[in-house]
Amino acid sequence: MFSKILIANRGEIAIRIIRSCKEMGIATVAVFSEADRDSMHVALADQSVCIGSATPSESYLDEVRIVGAAIATGAQAIHPGYGFLSESSKLADLCEEHHITFIGPKSEAIIKMGDKDVARRIMAESGVQIIPGTDIQADVKSAKKAAEKIGYPIFLKARAGGGGKGIRLVNAPDELESAFQIASSEALAAFGDGALFIEKRIHPAKHIEVQILVDESGTVLCLGERECSVQRNNQKLLEEAPSPVVTEKLRKKLYDAATKVAKTVNYVNAGTVEFLLDEDENFYFMEMNVRLQVEHGISEQITGMDIVKWQIRIATGVSFDFSQKDITLRGHSIECRINAATIGKVAFLHVPGGPAVRFDSALWTGYTVPMYYDSLIGKLMVHASTREEAIRKMHAALCELVIDGVQNNIDEQIEFLSDSEFQSGKYQTDFVEKRGGK
């Protein structure tokens, strides 16, 4: 087992990883930018290293500085969390070069699944159902021809990155040229790669993802599915586990497909396989996230497993001492992402409590939310014996959560929970759009 791990991230996910490390008796190293000098993850870690300015490219996105900090502090492993360098094959390679363990998959798997165009082709060749679409489109002219053949509406999608960036819905031919330029420019700015491919829009549909863990021996465990259909501009806002529409029969099929995806690319460690599910229970591979997910906590709540601890164990070569039949899904969990709408100082913070209520956050009264990073400032999660009880519990928890001084989306989350379509469980990926959410 490692004696010291460097966390190559910030905010709530860095704190989440630090807590698991502490429970395992592992010392931690925090890295921070100048903007995060007074952040909670810095205070909670055993050591901390400043790695540059507030600009991500000069701190959290600099692989060389991250590895340098690990070498300087004697850290034996690096956990990337999610976002930033969590899907960087360069970081994984640098770690291997300097005999530091990267807590995640090998660079080969990152490369294969990080390029969504390549991932589509690999999955199609292995027999996993993919969304009808194209390879990379060289320009607007070729994209127009391909779109006409597939039929509108279509999605233009960046082959790199994630987080909903570089994706545009195109409903008609006259929208394509502008959407192509915008999506390509957005992807280039976010990921350094403006290449786009086309996928047919599957609609109506639900966004379902399967959480997996894979040990070095190739044993794949599925930790239930998550429903992620409440989203705006392809960014998830609310997730629940398990999905209210997935039956045991369908779950088995999803597990089989997720397992096949992992085995096809020799995947190791934690990952998530994402699918679109249509009204006839046909599901299509969308992508694989080769990292810890933002919403991993609700999978932990329904399985009783600490996914971060298992990431660390797997990275040391520990094999599972249990099998898929030992994993039981218990009750129902919901996560609401709390996003800041403005920057500013938290004048007052009150965190809800009670049985099975969890708030992952780096906020504290007096903390100033910086302008340089993602708007996510907290994840409120609840667990209950039934979905109905979980909805009521989340409603109560949201009403109790107070974050004064920074505008946020707490009220909107309450509205989502109160919507009859959400309560029915039949909501789909256009849920926010239909409610008039921009």
Side-chain angles (χ1 to χ4, degrees):
M1 187 57 68
F2 307 118
S3 60
K4 185 183 291 187
I5 293 175
L6 180 142
I7 296 97
N9 219 297
R10 65 179 297 278
E12 63 87 11
I13 190 56
I15 294 170
R16 161 77 188 91
I17 297 165
I18 288 169
R19 286 171 174 156
S20 282
C21 287
K22 286 179 180 290
E23 291 178 17
M24 299 176 78
I26 300 170
T28 54
V29 180
V31 293
F32 64 93
S33 71
E34 289 290 354
D36 280 337
R37 186 173 292 276
D38 297 324
S39 292
M40 191 182 296
H41 79 282
V42 177
L44 291 179
D46 297 291
Q47 288 177 266
S48 59
V49 179
C50 181
I51 53 170
S53 68
T55 305
S57 61
E58 297 175 358
S59 50
Y60 298 111
L61 288 174
D62 191 317
E63 291 96 340
V64 173
R65 295 188 190 193
I66 296 288
V67 173
I71 294 170
T73 57
Q76 300 147 312
I78 292 176
H79 196 308
Y82 58 73
F84 291 133
L85 297 175
S86 61
E87 296 178 277
S88 168
S89 59
K90 180 181 176 181
L91 177 59
D93 285 336
L94 275 175
C95 285
E96 186 173 355
E97 180 183 335
H98 292 280
H99 307 290
I100 297 168
T101 300
F102 178 76
I103 301 177
K106 301 296 183 186
S107 62
E108 292 85 354
I110 295 174
I111 291 169
K112 286 177 180 177
M113 303 312 284
D115 185 324
K116 294 175 177 57
D117 174 55
V118 172
R120 277 173 49 83
R121 281 188 270 120
I122 291 173
M123 291 305 109
E125 289 168 5
S126 69
V128 176
Q129 179 87 342
I130 65 170
I131 300 171
T134 71
D135 293 334
I136 295 301
Q137 297 299 294
D139 50 36
V140 173
K141 185 177 180 181
S142 65
K144 282 185 176 180
K145 288 183 179 179
E148 288 170 6
K149 186 175 181 180
I150 294 170
Y152 291 90
I154 55 113
F155 276 109
L156 292 169
K157 290 191 173 183
R159 71 176 172 190
K165 292 183 172 62
I167 301 176
R168 286 296 182 278
L169 172 64
V170 183
N171 290 300
D174 60 352
E175 299 175 11
L176 192 140
E177 183 170 354
S178 174
F180 190 97
Q181 293 171 350
I182 292 171
S184 181
S185 297
E186 185 176 80
L188 184 64
F191 317 123
D193 184 350
L196 304 175
F197 63 94
I198 294 174
E199 281 186 346
K200 175 71 178 174
R201 186 191 188 196
I202 305 297
H203 181 76
K206 293 174 82 63
H207 185 152
I208 309 292
E209 60 187 28
V210 178
Q211 174 70 58
I212 63 169
L213 283 172
V214 191
D215 66 16
E216 291 282 358
S217 71
T219 300
V220 181
L221 298 179
C222 298
L223 309 186
E225 81 284 346
R226 297 185 290 254
E227 166 93 44
C228 306
S229 299
V230 179
Q231 47 189 258
R232 176 185 291 113
N233 298 327
N234 304 297
Q235 275 277 42
K236 301 167 188 172
L237 297 172
L238 182 155
E239 302 95 358
E240 57 179 315
S243 168
V245 301
V246 172
T247 62
E248 283 298 330
K249 183 179 178 181
L250 178 57
R251 182 171 296 120
K252 175 66 166 57
K253 292 179 180 179
L254 288 165
Y255 281 9
D256 288 346
T259 298
K260 191 169 190 177
V261 169
K263 287 186 174 295
T264 297
V265 295
N266 298 315
Y267 195 82
V268 176
N269 215 271
T272 300
V273 185
E274 305 201 8
F275 301 97
L276 275 182
L277 176 70
D278 70 18
E279 291 185 308
D280 297 319
E281 293 196 349
N282 300 306
F283 58 89
Y284 305 84
F285 170 82
M286 292 173 62
E287 63 182 5
M288 183 178 190
N289 285 298
V290 293
R291 53 173 167 79
L292 193 66
Q293 289 276 87
V294 173
E295 58 273 19
H296 72 278
I298 55 175
S299 294
E300 293 181 322
Q301 287 185 318
I302 63 168
T303 61
M305 293 181 64
D306 187 316
I307 294 173
V308 171
K309 286 183 180 177
W310 270 107
Q311 284 192 288
I312 295 168
R313 292 184 188 118
I314 291 168
T316 64
V318 173
S319 295
F320 301 126
D321 57 358
F322 54 95
S323 64
Q324 186 67 55
K325 70 178 186 329
D326 298 312
I327 299 172
T328 302
L329 306 187
R330 301 179 181 89
H332 200 91
S333 288
I334 300 174
E335 173 183 283
C336 287
R337 299 192 187 193
I338 307 304
N339 297 321
T342 62
I343 59 174
K345 181 178 285 190
V346 178
F348 177 77
L349 173 68
H350 175 74
V351 176
V357 176
R358 170 175 164 181
F359 186 57
D360 284 12
S361 178
L363 296 182
W364 42 275
T365 298
Y367 173 73
T368 299
V369 176
M371 61 181 290
Y372 308 99
Y373 310 115
D374 190 84
S375 63
L376 180 70
I377 55 174
K379 303 181 312 191
L380 184 59
M381 291 167 269
V382 302
H383 180 253
S385 58
T386 66
R387 182 173 188 264
E388 292 73 19
E389 185 183 352
I391 291 173
R392 291 194 297 270
K393 181 178 283 191
M394 178 59 83
H395 188 279
L398 285 165
C399 289
E400 191 178 337
L401 177 62
V402 180
I403 307 172
D404 279 346
V406 177
Q407 292 181 28
N408 55 70
N409 66 329
I410 293 174
D411 289 343
E412 181 182 51
Q413 293 284 17
I414 292 172
E415 291 174 6
F416 291 160
L417 290 171
S418 303
D419 191 289
S420 59
E421 187 174 356
F422 175 81
Q423 292 183 354
S424 74
K426 297 179 181 179
Y427 64 98
Q428 295 163 328
T429 53
D430 60 354
F431 172 75
V432 174
E433 180 185 339
K434 287 197 305 184
R435 297 185 78 258
K438 301 298 183 183

